[in-house]
Amino acid sequence: MNYTLHQLQIFLKVTQLKSITKAAEELHLTQPAVSIQLRNFQDQFEIPLTEVIGRQLYVTDFGTEIANAAEKILAEVYAINYKTLAYKGQLAGRLKLSVVSTGKYIMPYFLSGFLKQHPGIELVLDVTNRAKVIESLENNEVDFSLVSVLPDQLQVERTELMPNKLYLVGYKEHGLDKESYDHNIFEGLPLIYREPGSGTRHTMEKFINKYHLPVRKKMELTSNEAVKQAVIAGLGFSIMPLIGIKNELINGELRIIQVNGFPITSTWNLIWLKNKEFSPLADAYLNYLDRYKNQIISDKFRWFSDWDK
């Protein structure tokens, strides 16, 4: 056996994503480079690690065992690197967060200063829908999660970051030019929804059910960006977070339709499992937020708080 740490890293990423192309993208390598390293790694075993059926890559049972071992080996290597930095007096380690998809518009601003202060930190940031975010938190796979809708059946603690405001949004030529509308406007609007499990959809449906709005569902899309492009194209209307449509509002691609009771307001919360034992790194990050979050909001999100003024 003469495999390298680089080959272990590539093999593990391929098994996690079930795709050479996606693994190459995440590792910032070319697809041929990943394929070559994967083949060289396979050549050291007599038993297949993966197999391709049609165009789908599958991991064999033996390959799964090797992937589990590779993950443990790489974790030990990371630990050695972090211990070296810690011995030198530097804060180091992996900070793992899961973030709902619209949270990607705010979370980087609450991380960048901390990471600049501590260059020995490795950030693992998973951006996905609310259901998967809560699942990763429940399984204790992350230190923190960012949500705008708190989980119902999971005991968590939290720190509030900033408000989240949702508006009814249409394309630029929608022709709805009154200063304000009542809820009857929804009778004639084809609404575009996010997928089940989305925090935006949860908030939207909660509002619709509360006021018994006569909505007409037009379509369902799996990301905030997809909904945004569909609305811009004139395929329908949607209730969207202000945080994710700033540029489109400024350049006129999207327009807010003023409706009584809007905006729908919730709060972005950074949450963690109750009674979780923090690593020194996670504890330091919470202290950083307590000290700097108000300044970050003032510096980076003044436009957000001033939008309705």
Side-chain angles (χ1 to χ4, degrees):
M1 295 291 180
N2 193 31
Y3 46 78
T4 66
L5 291 175
H6 185 53
Q7 288 173 342
L8 289 176
Q9 183 185 35
I10 288 175
F11 176 67
L12 180 60
K13 186 61 67 175
V14 169
T15 61
Q16 290 171 338
L17 298 176
K18 305 292 192 300
S19 168
I20 292 174
T21 300
K22 291 179 180 179
E25 291 174 355
E26 287 214 6
L27 295 169
H28 305 290
L29 298 170
T30 64
Q31 184 173 334
V34 170
S35 297
I36 290 170
Q37 291 299 324
L38 186 63
R39 184 169 62 250
N40 290 342
F41 186 65
Q42 172 65 79
D43 287 346
Q44 299 178 70
F45 300 91
E46 296 180 0
I47 304 172
L49 302 172
T50 62
E51 57 183 355
V52 177
I53 301 176
R55 301 184 65 179
Q56 178 64 48
L57 184 144
Y58 295 89
V59 184
T60 65
D61 291 342
F62 179 66
T64 299
E65 294 293 328
I66 298 302
N68 291 337
E71 187 171 20
K72 293 177 183 178
I73 292 169
L74 291 170
E76 290 298 322
V77 172
Y78 292 138
I80 291 170
N81 294 338
Y82 300 148
K83 287 175 182 177
T84 302
L85 291 170
Y87 189 79
K88 293 163 63 177
Q90 300 180 31
L91 187 64
R94 275 185 167 184
L95 183 65
K96 296 184 286 187
L97 295 95
S98 56
V99 176
V100 294
S101 57
T102 48
K104 66 178 176 285
Y105 299 110
I106 70 164
M107 199 65 225
Y109 296 100
F110 290 95
L111 287 164
S112 60
F114 183 68
L115 296 178
K116 288 175 182 176
Q117 289 180 9
H118 307 288
I121 293 171
E122 179 184 352
L123 175 66
V124 180
L125 183 65
D126 182 28
V127 180
T128 183
N129 71 20
R130 177 178 176 271
K132 293 181 180 178
V133 165
I134 299 304
E135 181 182 355
S136 66
L137 185 71
E138 187 174 14
N139 293 336
N140 202 28
E141 297 170 353
V142 295
D143 298 303
F144 304 104
S145 294
L146 180 71
V147 296
S148 60
V149 179
L150 294 173
D152 295 325
Q153 299 178 339
L154 192 62
Q155 289 191 318
V156 298
E157 297 184 52
R158 62 179 174 136
T159 183
E160 293 185 2
L161 294 186
M162 57 182 286
N164 180 34
K165 296 188 285 189
L166 290 83
Y167 290 86
L168 178 64
V169 178
Y171 53 100
K172 61 182 179 181
E173 290 113 357
H174 60 62
L176 300 170
D177 297 322
K178 290 183 180 179
E179 289 188 5
S180 182
Y181 290 85
D182 61 28
H183 292 166
N184 291 330
I185 189 177
F186 288 99
E187 291 182 4
L189 294 185
L191 274 188
I192 300 173
Y193 280 57
R194 282 288 306 275
E195 81 285 2
S198 158
T200 297
R201 175 162 175 166
H202 177 88
T203 302
M204 176 177 168
E205 289 186 324
K206 185 177 180 181
F207 184 86
I208 289 170
N209 293 335
K210 178 180 179 180
Y211 292 101
H212 307 288
L213 301 185
V215 299
R216 179 161 64 91
K217 183 176 176 182
K218 173 72 172 181
M219 66 180 68
E220 182 179 293
L221 299 173
T222 58
S223 74
N224 194 64
E225 291 299 317
V227 172
K228 185 192 304 184
Q229 295 304 318
V231 175
I232 290 173
L235 295 179
F237 299 77
S238 193
I239 297 173
M240 302 188 69
L242 176 63
I243 198 71
I245 57 175
K246 175 186 177 183
N247 292 335
E248 289 76 16
L249 291 172
I250 291 174
N251 64 31
E253 291 181 298
L254 291 176
R255 291 168 59 192
I256 288 175
I257 302 167
Q258 298 295 343
V259 179
N260 296 336
F262 280 73
I264 307 170
T265 303
S266 58
T267 302
W268 291 110
N269 292 281
L270 194 72
I271 63 174
W272 58 93
L273 289 176
K274 190 173 184 179
N275 300 321
K276 181 177 177 62
E277 293 188 12
F278 285 133
S279 66
L281 171 54
D283 193 48
Y285 181 58
L286 273 187
N287 290 333
Y288 169 84
L289 284 181
D290 287 341
R291 182 176 181 182
Y292 291 108
K293 68 178 180 181
N294 290 335
Q295 186 63 47
I296 293 168
I297 293 168
S298 177
D299 290 346
K300 304 299 183 183
F301 297 102
R302 186 180 299 275
W303 69 270
F304 184 85
S305 58
D306 292 345
W307 191 266
D308 293 325
K309 294 180 181 179

